[in-house]
C-alpha cells in the first residue's frame, strides 16, 4: 500500500471518529486512554492532558491535547473548531486550567486573536498529524492559507497561572 493511500485512510478514520465535531464512542475511549497516558508523562512531551471544570457540572473534565511550541511560547489548538466542549469550558473558566504531563501545572490560557493564529496553526499541524484530517489546509501550505481559516480554529497561549495578560498573538 502506498503512503498517500494510507494517509487518506487514516484521515477518513480520524474524520469518522469526530463526525459533527463531536467524538464518537471509539474516540471517547481512545481519548480517555490518551489522557491517562499523557497525565502520567508517558508518550511525547507535546501530549498533555487539559483539566478544566465542566461549565455545567463543575466536575473536572480531562482532554488529551497536543501542545505546539512556536517562538518560545506554548499553545493549544482546537482541531475541531469553536464549538468543542473543551473550548467552551476553558472560556467559562476564564482560562484557568491545569495541564498534566507527568506533573500538574496550573496555567492560564489566553485566546489568541485570529490575526495572530496563522503561523501557530501551521506549526500545530506539523506536530499534530492526527489533526490534519480536521483542518482543511495542508500543513505545508503558505501562511496566507492558514490566515483564511484562522477565525474557525481557536488557539490559546499557555501562560503562568495568575497571568495578567488577557490577549496576545
Amino acid at each position: 500500500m502506498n503512503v498517500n493511500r494510507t494517509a487518506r485512510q487514516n484521515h477518513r478514520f480520524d474524520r469518522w471518529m469526530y463526525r459533527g465535531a463531536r467524538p464518537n464512542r471509539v474516540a471517547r475511549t481512545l481519548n480517555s486512554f490518551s489522557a491517562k497516558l499523557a497525565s502520567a508523562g508517558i508518550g511525547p512531551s507535546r501530549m498533555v492532558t487539559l483539566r478544566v471544570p465542566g461549565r455545567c457540572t463543575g466536575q473536572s473534565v480531562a482532554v488529551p491535547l497536543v501542545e505546539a511550541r512556536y517562538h518560545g511560547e506554548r499553545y493549544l489548538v482546537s482541531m475541531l473548531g469553536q464549538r468543542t466542549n473543551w473550548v467552551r469550558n476553558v472560556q467559562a473558566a476564564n482560562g484557568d486550567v491545569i495541564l498534566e504531563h507527568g506533573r500538574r501545572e496550573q496555567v492560564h490560557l489566553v485566546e489568541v486573536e485570529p490575526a495572530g493564529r496563522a503561523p501557530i496553526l501551521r506549526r500545530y499541524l506539523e506536530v499534530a498529524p492526527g489533526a490534519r484530517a480536521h483542518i482543511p489546509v495542508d500543513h505545508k501550505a503558505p501562511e496566507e492559507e492558514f490566515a483564511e481559516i484562522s477565525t474557525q480554529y481557536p488557539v490559546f497561549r499557555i501562560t503562568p497561572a495568575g497571568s495578567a495578560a488577557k490577549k496576545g498573538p
Side-chain angles (χ1 to χ4, degrees):
M1 187 178 295
N2 71 35
V3 174
N4 286 335
R5 184 172 181 201
T6 303
R8 280 194 310 272
Q9 288 173 334
N10 287 344
H11 286 326
R12 190 176 311 126
F13 180 69
D14 288 341
R15 283 191 296 273
W16 171 79
M17 287 197 323
Y18 292 96
R19 196 172 330 177
R22 309 251 333 143
N24 65 21
R25 183 176 295 165
V26 172
R28 285 192 306 270
T29 301
L30 291 173
N31 285 346
S32 176
F33 183 69
S34 295
K36 288 175 184 168
L37 289 176
S39 292
I42 299 170
S45 61
R46 67 182 175 267
M47 286 295 301
V48 298
T49 297
L50 168 75
R51 290 200 183 272
V52 60
R55 65 192 176 283
C56 297
T57 66
Q59 293 182 340
S60 180
V61 177
V63 181
L65 296 172
V66 173
E67 179 184 297
R69 292 179 185 258
Y70 180 75
H71 285 220
E73 298 282 347
R74 300 161 53 203
Y75 297 91
L76 298 176
V77 174
S78 173
M79 71 179 187
L80 299 176
Q82 295 281 359
R83 300 206 34 88
T84 59
N85 278 328
W86 77 262
V87 169
R88 293 187 292 176
N89 288 340
V90 165
Q91 291 166 338
N94 295 316
D96 295 323
V97 301
I98 294 172
L99 292 182
E100 297 177 340
H101 184 85
R103 64 181 177 85
R104 293 173 65 92
E105 176 186 17
Q106 284 203 288
V107 298
H108 182 77
L109 300 182
V110 178
E111 192 162 357
V112 176
E113 294 295 328
R117 293 178 185 173
I120 301 160
L121 288 169
R122 186 174 191 202
R123 176 66 182 145
Y124 173 70
L125 287 187
E126 289 173 1
V127 300
R132 294 177 189 167
H134 306 287
I135 297 179
V137 176
D138 186 83
H139 69 287
K140 295 179 183 175
E143 218 170 271
E144 296 78 35
E145 290 185 36
F146 287 96
E148 291 174 14
I149 61 155
S150 64
T151 59
Q152 300 169 39
Y153 297 93
V155 174
F156 294 90
R157 183 168 42 90
I158 302 168
T159 64
S163 172
K166 296 295 178 197
K167 298 284 178 189

